[in-house]
Amino acid sequence: MTLLPGSGDPHRFGTEAFYAALGRAFVAMCAVVPFLFLVEAADQGLAFGLDAAAGIIPQRIDGLDGVFFSPFLHHGFDHLYSNSIPLILLGTFVLAAGARRFLWSTLVIVLVSGLGVWFTGSPNSVVVGASGVIFGYLGILLTRGIVERSWWNFAVFLLVGLLYGWQLVGILPTDDRISWQGHLFGLLGGVVAAIVFRRRRPDLGGPYHSESSLTLP
């Protein structure tokens, strides 16, 4: 059997490798959500008080560790339910582009979102939830179609925009109970990650590339 050019490329839309990568990413993201539910069930059932102990407390040193822990915590199951579907959907598209890029991009989003909340949030609040990461993934997908000049990424851009574009209102201070700072800085972190970890197009004219930014396979 003869394979068509690019048929084994997981980044080329329509190939078997592409659909396989998308399927693996979906399964992996579906495994993340039960873990978050387990954390929330343990927190509520055993009264650990994880939100206050490991959430972000803006402008307080003892709340700085929440930058890394807060995405795993939620204010109850309703909060977690509302984050689950967009986390799976957006995370699947981001992860399908490569595990290393996904991990590094997520780290950038967590840092930018968490530190943004810590510096600008109210010191009388405790901020938890995966919303900053979700907005970061949204920022990646919306930006990747532009910086990588890919028809597939443009299609994802349109799909995500139609499904979740309305959530961009969450970057505005419309509700005191919602950390708009986490959403805004998460989105910005996603834009940064999409640019820094963009996949460079091969230079057909020689062994050199015209771009010099950090990229990962």
Side-chain angles (χ1 to χ4, degrees), residues 31-177:
V32 170
V33 171
F35 172 75
L36 298 180
F37 273 93
L38 181 62
V39 171
E40 185 62 26
D43 186 27
Q44 293 195 21
L46 302 177
F48 285 151
L50 292 179
D51 290 359
I56 299 174
I57 305 177
Q59 304 171 37
R60 285 177 47 177
I61 296 299
D62 60 344
L64 190 57
D65 57 350
V67 168
F68 295 100
F69 296 122
S70 62
F72 300 100
L73 306 174
H74 290 81
H75 288 304
F77 286 107
D78 288 342
H79 185 201
L80 180 51
Y81 281 128
S82 67
N83 280 342
S84 296
I85 293 179
L87 182 62
I88 291 175
L89 179 61
L90 300 178
T92 293
F93 288 122
V94 176
L95 178 56
R100 290 183 64 194
R101 284 212 295 172
F102 173 81
L103 293 174
W104 281 105
S105 297
T106 300
L107 178 60
V108 169
I109 292 168
V110 167
L111 286 174
V112 174
S113 176
L115 290 175
V117 169
W118 190 83
F119 277 110
T120 65
S122 170
N124 298 319
S125 63
V126 177
V127 180
V128 297
S131 298
V133 174
I134 291 171
F135 270 79
Y137 290 160
L138 181 62
I140 286 179
L141 295 173
L142 295 181
T143 305
R144 191 176 280 170
I146 299 173
V147 300
E148 296 189 9
R149 293 171 292 175
S150 163
W151 285 111
W152 158 242
N153 284 316
F154 273 120
V156 173
F157 172 95
L158 294 175
L159 174 62
V160 173
L162 289 173
L163 293 176
Y164 293 102
W166 60 271
Q167 286 197 0
L168 290 176
V169 71
I171 66 176
L172 301 175
T174 56
D175 191 332
D176 292 338
R177 298 170 300 174

